[in-house]
Amino acid sequence: MSTIGLFYGSETGNTRKVAKSIVKKLGEDVVELFNVSKASADDVAKFSALILGSPTLGDGELVDSWKEFLPTFKGVDLTGKTVAIYGLGDQESYGHEFCDAMAILFEAAKAQGATLIGSWPTDDYEFSKSKAVVDGEFVGLALDNDNQKDMTDERVDAWLEQVKDALLG
Ligand SMILES: Cc1cc2nc3c(=O)[nH]c(=O)nc-3n(C[C@H](O)[C@H](O)[C@H](O)COP(=O)(O)O)c2cc1C
């Protein structure tokens, strides 16, 4: 069985594309992919490590599919599990709530007892405010395919290099 469960939601495909690229980079034998619109609590519970991905939509919110899955997700004890988060956002149009949804997933996973990894520097982004910034860093990998699409692949590579060993235990 795979070690890492990657749970994502996506409205227009950017978060899904990144999810698929992560599977490709780490290998299908290592990561199993779940769209949260079709996932269950048991799917989450069976992994020792999780990657959670969501765009920020609405007014600094999770994508609808994640909103619907969140109560189910919150019912899973994540004690002993390692969790890394990534999020898609748009720093130019939503610079006052850039990638805020990562904070929602971060707070939930923390409250469920998970060990959170994968914080990411705010250098190279231009935004005024983000709930996903804690102690000067994003709580996960912030990606912006609306304005910095050409940086996504190298950011994903660098972030995976940073979190890979801890996720694989
Ligand atoms: C209606 C709408 C609201 C959005 N709100 C935010 C926001 O509050 N913060 C942010 O960083 N990005 C926001 N975005 C940008 C999206 O997060 C971004 O386009 C993302 O890549 C979409 O991911 P997806 O293709 O996986 O759905 C918004 C986009 C739309 C269309």
Side-chain angles (χ1 to χ4, degrees), residues 10-15 55-56 58 60 88-90 94 97-99 146:
S10 186
E11 191 74 42
T12 58
N14 291 323
T15 312
T56 299
L88 274 287
D90 177 345
Y94 301 93
E97 49 194 9
F98 179 51
C99 283
D146 294 286

Side-chain angles (χ1 to χ4, degrees), residues 13-30:
N14 291 323
T15 312
R16 182 177 59 243
K17 263 184 231 153
V18 171
K20 287 190 168 170
S21 82
I22 291 173
V23 173
K24 210 166 173 186
K25 288 169 194 289
L26 293 182
E28 278 180 32
D29 50 333
V30 173

Side-chain angles (χ1 to χ4, degrees), residues 25-46:
K25 288 169 194 289
L26 293 182
E28 278 180 32
D29 50 333
V30 173
V31 192
E32 196 176 337
L33 199 58
F34 295 87
N35 186 326
V36 290
S37 65
K38 294 173 196 146
S40 69
D42 285 347
D43 291 332
V44 175
K46 70 183 184 186

